[in-house]
Amino acid sequence: MLAQAAMWEKLGQEPVDVLVIGGGINGAGIARDAANRGLNVALVEMRDLAYGTSSRSSKMVHGGLRYLEQFAFGLVFESVSERRILLKIAPHLVRPLGYIFPIFKSGKRGLGMVSLGMWVYEALSLFRSPRRHKTLKAHALQKVEPIVNTEGMLGAPLYYDCATDDARLTLESALDAAEHGAVVSTWTRVTRFEKDESGQVTGALVRNELTGEEKTVKASLIVNATGPWTDKTRGLSKDGVKPMVMRTKGVHVVVNRESLPVNHCVICPHPDDARGVFAVPWGNQTYIGNTDTEYGPVDGGVTATLNDVDYLLEASNTYFPQHQLSREDVISTWAGLRPLLAPETDDISNSKITREHSIEVGADGVVTVAGGKLTTYRKMAAEVVRVALKALKQRGHRLKVSRSKTAKIPLPGAAKLPEGGLKALKQSLQERSSPILTPDICNHLVDTYGCRAEALLELAKSNPDYAKPLVEGRPEIAAQVVFGVEQEFAATATDFLIQRTQLFYRDQDQGLGALPEVVRLMGDLLEWDQTRRDTETQRYERDVAASRAWQTEMTG
């Protein structure tokens, strides 16, 4: 059973080769790579997996077309190569998506320059993009995206990258690590490093944030993969460290599809500062992103402001004039921090900083990784593990390990896909689940869990209550709560409603209507008393209120 409490009990029972701090996409990827090589691994995360940046990204797996302007060809090549790998190892979570990039007479980029960039982009992918690009004239664009304003448009290149569920990509990476022996302990905060007489870090004191219990985890090596909290974690070992990262805030807003019915990711320059803003189709919703503003110390949660929301709505209303959006159209928002490498100089804008990464081996022996991007997390993880293995060897540790295998090993949801892939799996599940589950629910389960949807069907068959939707008219069912607790480390209502599902973002009341049932089911499984059930309810209500704080600015 992959339950949070069970993992906490295992944590620290024996020394580990590598202790990874941080349960975002980088930490999960590092733990997966290390565990697959045969290392004894533990991963700790102070909240839930993907709670921070890794569930609040733009949800794109892409090569970084804009980095061509900065001549970052190596980064683009690496990204498009990793895009292809992720399509193979996680087809249920990484899906091709068309991107449309209208070019206007008033813009700073000419159509010829962008068209050349498209060919370079495809050449760097060795012409293995999901589909070949093409340039649409105004009349052709209106056929595929009729709501885009084509006035003054020179043409609109259409190219293909991918979209993903960032939170579940992180989760499945951690699940695969656990299946290969790693201990994955969420809600576990590192409060102090343990050092030997020479000043080398030999472990960490950790605290269970749900129970207050503390324990020490002994480790031959520690990896700091804490993203926006990188420098704060480094500060546990030494005061006054030179910053490795700078943080910028990215905000997205979600509206119903009927309010903004786009069929592709449409990217346009913002009318104020020419920064790229995009509208992305998301099932029955559309999300618009994103902002890029420098952010100071990370003290608490990161939320959207009224200025952030208005900035995105202004861009949308400029390029989709037939579908004017108001603040009242916004269902939800999310805000995340990008942990960019700190620039050497102060005269560079946030949007011009590439997503390169850096790996540092500190004087205390801690390996720190900073920067990077979602798309290249797997390759970056393999690099971090190579550095860690070299550091361990220099300290006299002789470990028998294999080469990185994560490029070929499917994530759990793709491990047992039938011949015919996701389409065949959906059809099979529909046939075997009728009349217990509707076709829409079956499709949702496959798109969310891949071949692991079979286990959800068995749960639904075992108890009719588990087949019931959590929200009328939506496909999420009660069985997902049980599965989240028993097999996916979910330990709080927030874990389930924000990271395991997307009800927080996509439901009209952000999952508040489902909250009582989620708390009841989790409470029964985890034996919560009434005080804990009340705490869980209040915690989630605070999360929703925080995400809506921008609304109080309208009346404040």
Side-chain angles (χ1 to χ4, degrees), residues 18 36 68 108 148 190 313 369 463 467 481 491 534 536 553:
V18 178
N36 270 273
L68 292 179
K108 66 177 183 179
V148 177
V190 174
L313 295 183
V369 56
N463 186 335
V481 182
D534 292 342
E536 287 300 317
E553 297 181 51

Side-chain angles (χ1 to χ4, degrees), residues 4 29 55 65-66 69 77 107 119 149 153 183 224 235 251 257 300 313 357 373 413 421 453 510 523 530:
Q4 187 271 342
S55 62
L65 182 65
R66 70 182 179 91
E69 291 183 318
F77 177 75
W119 283 111
N149 182 10
M153 193 189 81
V183 176
N224 171 12
V251 171
R257 175 173 170 78
L313 295 183
H357 67 273
K373 54 184 289 192
Q510 295 190 249
Q530 190 57 49

Side-chain angles (χ1 to χ4, degrees), residues 14 28 152 161 164 173 178 186 232 235 302 312-313 335-336 372 448 532:
E14 60 182 41
D161 266 319
T164 189
S173 296
T186 60
K232 188 172 184 179
V302 184
L312 296 173
L313 295 183
T448 304
R532 175 65 188 275

